[in-house]
Amino acid sequence: MRLSLMYVCLCKGISDRHLRQSVEDGSHSWRQVQRETGCGTQCGKCACVGKQIVREAIHEKLSQEVQHLAYAV
């Protein structure tokens, strides 16, 4: 669990938590997160950092889902 808060998009006031929450709520790509949050839609300076955070969040979510799969031994 992440306790720190980092603003990613100052133009829209979007933090890393907003981006991660968007992935948890079902967004599967940077484009979907961008539409949901508005991150990277004004000046665009935050897009690289935003994309990286979204990539990590998607990877973490997929890793958690894979751990819940049951395999026959």
Side-chain angles (χ1 to χ4, degrees):
M1 180 177 195
R2 298 178 193 285
L3 298 176
S4 63
L5 175 71
M6 176 179 71
Y7 279 94
V8 177
C9 179
L10 296 177
C11 297
K12 301 281 186 168
I14 305 299
S15 71
D16 60 327
R17 288 183 191 171
H18 290 111
L19 300 179
R20 292 177 186 284
Q21 188 61 51
S22 181
V23 171
E24 285 298 315
D25 291 344
S27 295
H28 300 290
S29 69
W30 164 245
R31 203 168 285 233
Q32 287 178 330
V33 171
Q34 199 174 29
R35 270 186 254 140
E36 176 74 26
T37 64
C39 184
T41 60
Q42 194 158 339
C43 78
K45 291 180 180 178
C46 60
C48 288
V49 173
K51 285 179 189 179
Q52 183 61 38
I53 291 169
V54 169
R55 254 188 237 116
E56 291 171 5
I58 290 170
H59 180 39
E60 289 171 10
K61 184 176 181 182
L62 291 175
S63 294
Q64 290 173 356
E65 290 174 1
V66 168
Q67 290 177 355
H68 294 294
L69 294 176
Y71 293 98
V73 178

